[in-house]
Amino acid sequence: MKYFEVYDPYYALIKAENKEAARDEYVANVADDDGTLIDEIKEVDRDYALVKYSRGKDEDGNLIPIPEILNDFQSGENLVLLIDPTLA
């Protein structure tokens, strides 16, 4: 799996097989694509994504539990790990 960040129009950290799958996850779970989204998606290092996700908070403002973090990183499915807090 690869890890991707999007900053515009809304922030998201996404785990996906490739950039196109990351785009699909973003559109399904975060916001629509105005035609420029694929250019906004940037691949990031796995360790960077893990640290960023480990500092993230859930919908209630609590840190994400370590077992959930590990499960999400070890699963083979595409996931939106973090989104812009204004959207939650």
Side-chain angles (χ1 to χ4, degrees), residues 34-68:
D34 66 358
T36 63
L37 182 59
I38 202 74
D39 296 328
E40 296 296 326
I41 298 173
K42 304 297 180 206
E43 186 172 351
V44 296
D45 184 71
R46 180 190 185 278
D47 292 341
Y48 171 88
L50 181 59
V51 170
K52 188 103 175 194
Y53 186 43
S54 72
R55 294 181 178 180
K57 296 185 179 180
D58 64 15
E59 304 86 30
D60 299 323
N62 301 315
L63 289 174
I64 300 167
I66 291 173
E68 183 178 335

PDB file of all heavy atoms in Angstrom, residues 34-68:
ATOM      1  N   ASP A  34     -13.030  18.638  -8.737  1.00  0.00           N
ATOM      2  CA  ASP A  34     -13.346  19.670  -9.727  1.00  0.00           C
ATOM      3  C   ASP A  34     -12.501  19.526 -10.987  1.00  0.00           C
ATOM      4  O   ASP A  34     -12.466  20.418 -11.825  1.00  0.00           O
ATOM      5  CB  ASP A  34     -13.176  21.064  -9.122  1.00  0.00           C
ATOM      6  CG  ASP A  34     -11.731  21.377  -8.766  1.00  0.00           C
ATOM      7  OD1 ASP A  34     -10.849  20.508  -8.950  1.00  0.00           O
ATOM      8  OD2 ASP A  34     -11.475  22.498  -8.286  1.00  0.00           O
ATOM      9  N   GLY A  35     -11.799  18.395 -11.100  1.00  0.00           N
ATOM     10  CA  GLY A  35     -10.955  18.144 -12.257  1.00  0.00           C
ATOM     11  C   GLY A  35      -9.481  18.357 -11.987  1.00  0.00           C
ATOM     12  O   GLY A  35      -8.652  18.003 -12.816  1.00  0.00           O
ATOM     13  N   THR A  36      -9.137  18.927 -10.828  1.00  0.00           N
ATOM     14  CA  THR A  36      -7.730  19.189 -10.511  1.00  0.00           C
ATOM     15  C   THR A  36      -7.215  18.315  -9.365  1.00  0.00           C
ATOM     16  O   THR A  36      -6.048  18.409  -9.001  1.00  0.00           O
ATOM     17  CB  THR A  36      -7.520  20.659 -10.118  1.00  0.00           C
ATOM     18  OG1 THR A  36      -8.266  20.938  -8.925  1.00  0.00           O
ATOM     19  CG2 THR A  36      -7.945  21.600 -11.226  1.00  0.00           C
ATOM     20  N   LEU A  37      -8.059  17.467  -8.823  1.00  0.00           N
ATOM     21  CA  LEU A  37      -7.698  16.692  -7.639  1.00  0.00           C
ATOM     22  C   LEU A  37      -6.474  15.799  -7.851  1.00  0.00           C
ATOM     23  O   LEU A  37      -5.600  15.726  -6.993  1.00  0.00           O
ATOM     24  CB  LEU A  37      -8.881  15.846  -7.180  1.00  0.00           C
ATOM     25  CG  LEU A  37      -8.668  15.017  -5.913  1.00  0.00           C
ATOM     26  CD1 LEU A  37      -8.315  15.909  -4.725  1.00  0.00           C
ATOM     27  CD2 LEU A  37      -9.920  14.210  -5.602  1.00  0.00           C
ATOM     28  N   ILE A  38      -6.382  15.149  -8.991  1.00  0.00           N
ATOM     29  CA  ILE A  38      -5.276  14.225  -9.229  1.00  0.00           C
ATOM     30  C   ILE A  38      -3.927  14.941  -9.114  1.00  0.00           C
ATOM     31  O   ILE A  38      -2.939  14.353  -8.684  1.00  0.00           O
ATOM     32  CB  ILE A  38      -5.427  13.485 -10.575  1.00  0.00           C
ATOM     33  CG1 ILE A  38      -4.622  12.189 -10.597  1.00  0.00           C
ATOM     34  CG2 ILE A  38      -5.092  14.371 -11.740  1.00  0.00           C
ATOM     35  CD1 ILE A  38      -5.194  11.071  -9.785  1.00  0.00           C
ATOM     36  N   ASP A  39      -3.890  16.238  -9.435  1.00  0.00           N
ATOM     37  CA  ASP A  39      -2.654  17.014  -9.311  1.00  0.00           C
ATOM     38  C   ASP A  39      -2.360  17.402  -7.863  1.00  0.00           C
ATOM     39  O   ASP A  39      -1.219  17.715  -7.528  1.00  0.00           O
ATOM     40  CB  ASP A  39      -2.732  18.288 -10.162  1.00  0.00           C
ATOM     41  CG  ASP A  39      -2.835  17.971 -11.642  1.00  0.00           C
ATOM     42  OD1 ASP A  39      -2.272  16.943 -12.079  1.00  0.00           O
ATOM     43  OD2 ASP A  39      -3.485  18.750 -12.369  1.00  0.00           O
ATOM     44  N   GLU A  40      -3.378  17.405  -7.018  1.00  0.00           N
ATOM     45  CA  GLU A  40      -3.218  17.780  -5.607  1.00  0.00           C
ATOM     46  C   GLU A  40      -2.785  16.608  -4.729  1.00  0.00           C
ATOM     47  O   GLU A  40      -2.340  16.803  -3.605  1.00  0.00           O
ATOM     48  CB  GLU A  40      -4.529  18.349  -5.059  1.00  0.00           C
ATOM     49  CG  GLU A  40      -4.974  19.637  -5.709  1.00  0.00           C
ATOM     50  CD  GLU A  40      -4.013  20.782  -5.461  1.00  0.00           C
ATOM     51  OE1 GLU A  40      -3.408  20.839  -4.373  1.00  0.00           O
ATOM     52  OE2 GLU A  40      -3.859  21.622  -6.362  1.00  0.00           O
ATOM     53  N   ILE A  41      -2.928  15.397  -5.214  1.00  0.00           N
ATOM     54  CA  ILE A  41      -2.597  14.204  -4.427  1.00  0.00           C
ATOM     55  C   ILE A  41      -1.096  13.958  -4.501  1.00  0.00           C
ATOM     56  O   ILE A  41      -0.543  13.797  -5.582  1.00  0.00           O
ATOM     57  CB  ILE A  41      -3.367  12.978  -4.944  1.00  0.00           C
ATOM     58  CG1 ILE A  41      -4.869  13.204  -4.807  1.00  0.00           C
ATOM     59  CG2 ILE A  41      -2.939  11.722  -4.201  1.00  0.00           C
ATOM     60  CD1 ILE A  41      -5.714  12.127  -5.454  1.00  0.00           C
ATOM     61  N   LYS A  42      -0.463  13.924  -3.335  1.00  0.00           N
ATOM     62  CA  LYS A  42       0.985  13.710  -3.263  1.00  0.00           C
ATOM     63  C   LYS A  42       1.278  12.467  -2.429  1.00  0.00           C
ATOM     64  O   LYS A  42       0.738  12.304  -1.333  1.00  0.00           O
ATOM     65  CB  LYS A  42       1.686  14.912  -2.620  1.00  0.00           C
ATOM     66  CG  LYS A  42       1.409  16.238  -3.307  1.00  0.00           C
ATOM     67  CD  LYS A  42       1.909  16.263  -4.722  1.00  0.00           C
ATOM     68  CE  LYS A  42       1.605  17.602  -5.370  1.00  0.00           C
ATOM     69  NZ  LYS A  42       1.485  17.577  -6.773  1.00  0.00           N
ATOM     70  N   GLU A  43       2.136  11.602  -2.944  1.00  0.00           N
ATOM     71  CA  GLU A  43       2.521  10.405  -2.200  1.00  0.00           C
ATOM     72  C   GLU A  43       3.479  10.801  -1.075  1.00  0.00           C
ATOM     73  O   GLU A  43       4.349  11.650  -1.252  1.00  0.00           O
ATOM     74  CB  GLU A  43       3.186   9.385  -3.122  1.00  0.00           C
ATOM     75  CG  GLU A  43       3.462   8.073  -2.420  1.00  0.00           C
ATOM     76  CD  GLU A  43       3.949   6.975  -3.355  1.00  0.00           C
ATOM     77  OE1 GLU A  43       3.924   7.168  -4.589  1.00  0.00           O
ATOM     78  OE2 GLU A  43       4.344   5.924  -2.839  1.00  0.00           O
ATOM     79  N   VAL A  44       3.281  10.179   0.103  1.00  0.00           N
ATOM     80  CA  VAL A  44       4.142  10.421   1.255  1.00  0.00           C
ATOM     81  C   VAL A  44       4.696   9.091   1.752  1.00  0.00           C
ATOM     82  O   VAL A  44       4.155   8.023   1.464  1.00  0.00           O
ATOM     83  CB  VAL A  44       3.395  11.163   2.393  1.00  0.00           C
ATOM     84  CG1 VAL A  44       2.974  12.553   1.941  1.00  0.00           C
ATOM     85  CG2 VAL A  44       2.210  10.375   2.897  1.00  0.00           C
ATOM     86  N   ASP A  45       5.768   9.166   2.501  1.00  0.00           N
ATOM     87  CA  ASP A  45       6.427   7.999   3.057  1.00  0.00           C
ATOM     88  C   ASP A  45       5.535   7.305   4.093  1.00  0.00           C
ATOM     89  O   ASP A  45       4.778   7.962   4.811  1.00  0.00           O
ATOM     90  CB  ASP A  45       7.736   8.471   3.707  1.00  0.00           C
ATOM     91  CG  ASP A  45       8.562   7.339   4.242  1.00  0.00           C
ATOM     92  OD1 ASP A  45       9.111   6.587   3.423  1.00  0.00           O
ATOM     93  OD2 ASP A  45       8.629   7.210   5.482  1.00  0.00           O
ATOM     94  N   ARG A  46       5.625   5.985   4.190  1.00  0.00           N
ATOM     95  CA  ARG A  46       4.824   5.212   5.139  1.00  0.00           C
ATOM     96  C   ARG A  46       5.057   5.664   6.578  1.00  0.00           C
ATOM     97  O   ARG A  46       4.105   5.817   7.343  1.00  0.00           O
ATOM     98  CB  ARG A  46       5.146   3.725   5.013  1.00  0.00           C
ATOM     99  CG  ARG A  46       4.340   2.860   5.964  1.00  0.00           C
ATOM    100  CD  ARG A  46       4.854   1.419   5.993  1.00  0.00           C
ATOM    101  NE  ARG A  46       4.004   0.582   6.810  1.00  0.00           N
ATOM    102  CZ  ARG A  46       4.069   0.497   8.133  1.00  0.00           C
ATOM    103  NH1 ARG A  46       4.940   1.218   8.807  1.00  0.00           N
ATOM    104  NH2 ARG A  46       3.260  -0.307   8.799  1.00  0.00           N
ATOM    105  N   ASP A  47       6.311   5.882   6.955  1.00  0.00           N
ATOM    106  CA  ASP A  47       6.606   6.305   8.324  1.00  0.00           C
ATOM    107  C   ASP A  47       6.002   7.672   8.635  1.00  0.00           C
ATOM    108  O   ASP A  47       5.482   7.902   9.720  1.00  0.00           O
ATOM    109  CB  ASP A  47       8.116   6.327   8.575  1.00  0.00           C
ATOM    110  CG  ASP A  47       8.722   4.938   8.574  1.00  0.00           C
ATOM    111  OD1 ASP A  47       7.964   3.950   8.749  1.00  0.00           O
ATOM    112  OD2 ASP A  47       9.947   4.828   8.391  1.00  0.00           O
ATOM    113  N   TYR A  48       6.073   8.577   7.675  1.00  0.00           N
ATOM    114  CA  TYR A  48       5.453   9.894   7.835  1.00  0.00           C
ATOM    115  C   TYR A  48       3.955   9.739   8.062  1.00  0.00           C
ATOM    116  O   TYR A  48       3.374  10.350   8.958  1.00  0.00           O
ATOM    117  CB  TYR A  48       5.735  10.741   6.592  1.00  0.00           C
ATOM    118  CG  TYR A  48       4.965  12.033   6.536  1.00  0.00           C
ATOM    119  CD1 TYR A  48       5.467  13.188   7.132  1.00  0.00           C
ATOM    120  CD2 TYR A  48       3.733  12.105   5.888  1.00  0.00           C
ATOM    121  CE1 TYR A  48       4.759  14.382   7.083  1.00  0.00           C
ATOM    122  CE2 TYR A  48       3.024  13.288   5.842  1.00  0.00           C
ATOM    123  CZ  TYR A  48       3.540  14.427   6.429  1.00  0.00           C
ATOM    124  OH  TYR A  48       2.838  15.604   6.392  1.00  0.00           O
ATOM    125  N   ALA A  49       3.314   8.903   7.232  1.00  0.00           N
ATOM    126  CA  ALA A  49       1.868   8.690   7.352  1.00  0.00           C
ATOM    127  C   ALA A  49       1.517   8.068   8.696  1.00  0.00           C
ATOM    128  O   ALA A  49       0.529   8.462   9.330  1.00  0.00           O
ATOM    129  CB  ALA A  49       1.374   7.808   6.209  1.00  0.00           C
ATOM    130  N   LEU A  50       2.318   7.127   9.152  1.00  0.00           N
ATOM    131  CA  LEU A  50       2.062   6.474  10.431  1.00  0.00           C
ATOM    132  C   LEU A  50       2.141   7.469  11.587  1.00  0.00           C
ATOM    133  O   LEU A  50       1.263   7.503  12.459  1.00  0.00           O
ATOM    134  CB  LEU A  50       3.042   5.324  10.651  1.00  0.00           C
ATOM    135  CG  LEU A  50       2.898   4.529  11.939  1.00  0.00           C
ATOM    136  CD1 LEU A  50       1.522   3.903  12.044  1.00  0.00           C
ATOM    137  CD2 LEU A  50       3.978   3.466  12.025  1.00  0.00           C
ATOM    138  N   VAL A  51       3.160   8.306  11.594  1.00  0.00           N
ATOM    139  CA  VAL A  51       3.294   9.302  12.656  1.00  0.00           C
ATOM    140  C   VAL A  51       2.153  10.315  12.579  1.00  0.00           C
ATOM    141  O   VAL A  51       1.542  10.648  13.604  1.00  0.00           O
ATOM    142  CB  VAL A  51       4.666  10.011  12.579  1.00  0.00           C
ATOM    143  CG1 VAL A  51       4.719  11.202  13.515  1.00  0.00           C
ATOM    144  CG2 VAL A  51       5.776   9.027  12.914  1.00  0.00           C
ATOM    145  N   LYS A  52       1.833  10.772  11.404  1.00  0.00           N
ATOM    146  CA  LYS A  52       0.749  11.744  11.245  1.00  0.00           C
ATOM    147  C   LYS A  52      -0.584  11.153  11.719  1.00  0.00           C
ATOM    148  O   LYS A  52      -1.334  11.797  12.455  1.00  0.00           O
ATOM    149  CB  LYS A  52       0.655  12.160   9.768  1.00  0.00           C
ATOM    150  CG  LYS A  52      -0.274  13.288   9.495  1.00  0.00           C
ATOM    151  CD  LYS A  52       0.488  14.550   9.271  1.00  0.00           C
ATOM    152  CE  LYS A  52      -0.464  15.646   8.882  1.00  0.00           C
ATOM    153  NZ  LYS A  52       0.186  16.792   8.354  1.00  0.00           N
ATOM    154  N   TYR A  53      -0.851   9.912  11.340  1.00  0.00           N
ATOM    155  CA  TYR A  53      -2.092   9.251  11.736  1.00  0.00           C
ATOM    156  C   TYR A  53      -2.119   9.013  13.246  1.00  0.00           C
ATOM    157  O   TYR A  53      -3.159   9.170  13.882  1.00  0.00           O
ATOM    158  CB  TYR A  53      -2.248   7.936  10.975  1.00  0.00           C
ATOM    159  CG  TYR A  53      -3.556   7.223  11.193  1.00  0.00           C
ATOM    160  CD1 TYR A  53      -4.764   7.911  11.205  1.00  0.00           C
ATOM    161  CD2 TYR A  53      -3.600   5.851  11.363  1.00  0.00           C
ATOM    162  CE1 TYR A  53      -5.973   7.249  11.388  1.00  0.00           C
ATOM    163  CE2 TYR A  53      -4.798   5.181  11.544  1.00  0.00           C
ATOM    164  CZ  TYR A  53      -5.976   5.888  11.561  1.00  0.00           C
ATOM    165  OH  TYR A  53      -7.164   5.229  11.750  1.00  0.00           O
ATOM    166  N   SER A  54      -0.976   8.675  13.829  1.00  0.00           N
ATOM    167  CA  SER A  54      -0.927   8.400  15.269  1.00  0.00           C
ATOM    168  C   SER A  54      -1.195   9.653  16.103  1.00  0.00           C
ATOM    169  O   SER A  54      -1.555   9.555  17.268  1.00  0.00           O
ATOM    170  CB  SER A  54       0.418   7.791  15.657  1.00  0.00           C
ATOM    171  OG  SER A  54       1.453   8.753  15.597  1.00  0.00           O
ATOM    172  N   ARG A  55      -1.039  10.802  15.508  1.00  0.00           N
ATOM    173  CA  ARG A  55      -1.312  12.072  16.211  1.00  0.00           C
ATOM    174  C   ARG A  55      -2.708  12.613  15.906  1.00  0.00           C
ATOM    175  O   ARG A  55      -3.101  13.657  16.418  1.00  0.00           O
ATOM    176  CB  ARG A  55      -0.276  13.111  15.820  1.00  0.00           C
ATOM    177  CG  ARG A  55       1.104  12.761  16.301  1.00  0.00           C
ATOM    178  CD  ARG A  55       2.095  13.804  15.921  1.00  0.00           C
ATOM    179  NE  ARG A  55       3.400  13.461  16.450  1.00  0.00           N
ATOM    180  CZ  ARG A  55       4.472  14.179  16.279  1.00  0.00           C
ATOM    181  NH1 ARG A  55       4.395  15.299  15.577  1.00  0.00           N
ATOM    182  NH2 ARG A  55       5.618  13.815  16.786  1.00  0.00           N
ATOM    183  N   GLY A  56      -3.429  11.889  15.074  1.00  0.00           N
ATOM    184  CA  GLY A  56      -4.768  12.317  14.690  1.00  0.00           C
ATOM    185  C   GLY A  56      -5.787  12.069  15.783  1.00  0.00           C
ATOM    186  O   GLY A  56      -5.535  11.336  16.747  1.00  0.00           O
ATOM    187  N   LYS A  57      -6.924  12.690  15.626  1.00  0.00           N
ATOM    188  CA  LYS A  57      -8.012  12.538  16.597  1.00  0.00           C
ATOM    189  C   LYS A  57      -9.265  12.037  15.903  1.00  0.00           C
ATOM    190  O   LYS A  57      -9.466  12.286  14.721  1.00  0.00           O
ATOM    191  CB  LYS A  57      -8.287  13.869  17.287  1.00  0.00           C
ATOM    192  CG  LYS A  57      -7.093  14.329  18.110  1.00  0.00           C
ATOM    193  CD  LYS A  57      -7.379  15.575  18.881  1.00  0.00           C
ATOM    194  CE  LYS A  57      -6.133  15.944  19.692  1.00  0.00           C
ATOM    195  NZ  LYS A  57      -6.328  17.137  20.459  1.00  0.00           N
ATOM    196  N   ASP A  58     -10.104  11.339  16.675  1.00  0.00           N
ATOM    197  CA  ASP A  58     -11.359  10.841  16.128  1.00  0.00           C
ATOM    198  C   ASP A  58     -12.418  11.935  16.142  1.00  0.00           C
ATOM    199  O   ASP A  58     -12.143  13.087  16.503  1.00  0.00           O
ATOM    200  CB  ASP A  58     -11.817   9.582  16.873  1.00  0.00           C
ATOM    201  CG  ASP A  58     -12.140   9.814  18.339  1.00  0.00           C
ATOM    202  OD1 ASP A  58     -12.297  10.987  18.767  1.00  0.00           O
ATOM    203  OD2 ASP A  58     -12.261   8.824  19.083  1.00  0.00           O
ATOM    204  N   GLU A  59     -13.651  11.580  15.789  1.00  0.00           N
ATOM    205  CA  GLU A  59     -14.739  12.560  15.699  1.00  0.00           C
ATOM    206  C   GLU A  59     -15.032  13.244  17.031  1.00  0.00           C
ATOM    207  O   GLU A  59     -15.566  14.349  17.070  1.00  0.00           O
ATOM    208  CB  GLU A  59     -16.036  11.890  15.209  1.00  0.00           C
ATOM    209  CG  GLU A  59     -15.920  11.179  13.903  1.00  0.00           C
ATOM    210  CD  GLU A  59     -15.427   9.747  14.057  1.00  0.00           C
ATOM    211  OE1 GLU A  59     -15.672   9.089  15.083  1.00  0.00           O
ATOM    212  OE2 GLU A  59     -14.751   9.276  13.135  1.00  0.00           O
ATOM    213  N   ASP A  60     -14.714  12.565  18.140  1.00  0.00           N
ATOM    214  CA  ASP A  60     -14.976  13.116  19.476  1.00  0.00           C
ATOM    215  C   ASP A  60     -13.794  13.910  20.035  1.00  0.00           C
ATOM    216  O   ASP A  60     -13.841  14.360  21.173  1.00  0.00           O
ATOM    217  CB  ASP A  60     -15.330  11.980  20.442  1.00  0.00           C
ATOM    218  CG  ASP A  60     -16.581  11.234  20.005  1.00  0.00           C
ATOM    219  OD1 ASP A  60     -17.506  11.894  19.483  1.00  0.00           O
ATOM    220  OD2 ASP A  60     -16.629   9.998  20.185  1.00  0.00           O
ATOM    221  N   GLY A  61     -12.722  14.031  19.260  1.00  0.00           N
ATOM    222  CA  GLY A  61     -11.561  14.781  19.708  1.00  0.00           C
ATOM    223  C   GLY A  61     -10.568  13.961  20.519  1.00  0.00           C
ATOM    224  O   GLY A  61      -9.628  14.505  21.087  1.00  0.00           O
ATOM    225  N   ASN A  62     -10.757  12.647  20.570  1.00  0.00           N
ATOM    226  CA  ASN A  62      -9.836  11.766  21.295  1.00  0.00           C
ATOM    227  C   ASN A  62      -8.776  11.230  20.355  1.00  0.00           C
ATOM    228  O   ASN A  62      -9.038  11.021  19.163  1.00  0.00           O
ATOM    229  CB  ASN A  62     -10.608  10.584  21.907  1.00  0.00           C
ATOM    230  CG  ASN A  62     -11.680  11.045  22.860  1.00  0.00           C
ATOM    231  OD1 ASN A  62     -11.460  11.906  23.689  1.00  0.00           O
ATOM    232  ND2 ASN A  62     -12.875  10.485  22.722  1.00  0.00           N
ATOM    233  N   LEU A  63      -7.581  10.981  20.904  1.00  0.00           N
ATOM    234  CA  LEU A  63      -6.539  10.360  20.093  1.00  0.00           C
ATOM    235  C   LEU A  63      -7.008   8.993  19.617  1.00  0.00           C
ATOM    236  O   LEU A  63      -7.723   8.279  20.333  1.00  0.00           O
ATOM    237  CB  LEU A  63      -5.249  10.211  20.897  1.00  0.00           C
ATOM    238  CG  LEU A  63      -4.498  11.508  21.204  1.00  0.00           C
ATOM    239  CD1 LEU A  63      -3.320  11.227  22.122  1.00  0.00           C
ATOM    240  CD2 LEU A  63      -4.010  12.154  19.917  1.00  0.00           C
ATOM    241  N   ILE A  64      -6.602   8.631  18.423  1.00  0.00           N
ATOM    242  CA  ILE A  64      -6.977   7.327  17.867  1.00  0.00           C
ATOM    243  C   ILE A  64      -6.214   6.251  18.636  1.00  0.00           C
ATOM    244  O   ILE A  64      -4.993   6.352  18.798  1.00  0.00           O
ATOM    245  CB  ILE A  64      -6.656   7.285  16.363  1.00  0.00           C
ATOM    246  CG1 ILE A  64      -7.429   8.389  15.637  1.00  0.00           C
ATOM    247  CG2 ILE A  64      -6.965   5.915  15.776  1.00  0.00           C
ATOM    248  CD1 ILE A  64      -6.974   8.660  14.227  1.00  0.00           C
ATOM    249  N   PRO A  65      -6.901   5.218  19.135  1.00  0.00           N
ATOM    250  CA  PRO A  65      -6.238   4.155  19.906  1.00  0.00           C
ATOM    251  C   PRO A  65      -5.187   3.415  19.072  1.00  0.00           C
ATOM    252  O   PRO A  65      -5.384   3.177  17.868  1.00  0.00           O
ATOM    253  CB  PRO A  65      -7.380   3.211  20.292  1.00  0.00           C
ATOM    254  CG  PRO A  65      -8.629   3.985  20.092  1.00  0.00           C
ATOM    255  CD  PRO A  65      -8.342   5.009  19.040  1.00  0.00           C
ATOM    256  N   ILE A  66      -4.093   3.051  19.708  1.00  0.00           N
ATOM    257  CA  ILE A  66      -2.990   2.372  19.022  1.00  0.00           C
ATOM    258  C   ILE A  66      -3.450   1.095  18.317  1.00  0.00           C
ATOM    259  O   ILE A  66      -3.067   0.871  17.164  1.00  0.00           O
ATOM    260  CB  ILE A  66      -1.821   2.103  19.990  1.00  0.00           C
ATOM    261  CG1 ILE A  66      -1.179   3.445  20.350  1.00  0.00           C
ATOM    262  CG2 ILE A  66      -0.787   1.160  19.371  1.00  0.00           C
ATOM    263  CD1 ILE A  66      -0.117   3.384  21.415  1.00  0.00           C
ATOM    264  N   PRO A  67      -4.279   0.240  18.934  1.00  0.00           N
ATOM    265  CA  PRO A  67      -4.723  -0.957  18.200  1.00  0.00           C
ATOM    266  C   PRO A  67      -5.463  -0.624  16.895  1.00  0.00           C
ATOM    267  O   PRO A  67      -5.295  -1.311  15.888  1.00  0.00           O
ATOM    268  CB  PRO A  67      -5.653  -1.666  19.186  1.00  0.00           C
ATOM    269  CG  PRO A  67      -5.186  -1.219  20.535  1.00  0.00           C
ATOM    270  CD  PRO A  67      -4.740   0.205  20.320  1.00  0.00           C
ATOM    271  N   GLU A  68      -6.235   0.444  16.898  1.00  0.00           N
ATOM    272  CA  GLU A  68      -6.938   0.861  15.684  1.00  0.00           C
ATOM    273  C   GLU A  68      -5.951   1.348  14.620  1.00  0.00           C
ATOM    274  O   GLU A  68      -6.092   1.032  13.439  1.00  0.00           O
ATOM    275  CB  GLU A  68      -7.949   1.959  16.003  1.00  0.00           C
ATOM    276  CG  GLU A  68      -8.767   2.391  14.813  1.00  0.00           C
ATOM    277  CD  GLU A  68      -9.809   3.450  15.156  1.00  0.00           C
ATOM    278  OE1 GLU A  68     -10.244   3.538  16.325  1.00  0.00           O
ATOM    279  OE2 GLU A  68     -10.193   4.195  14.236  1.00  0.00           O
TER     280      GLU A  68
END
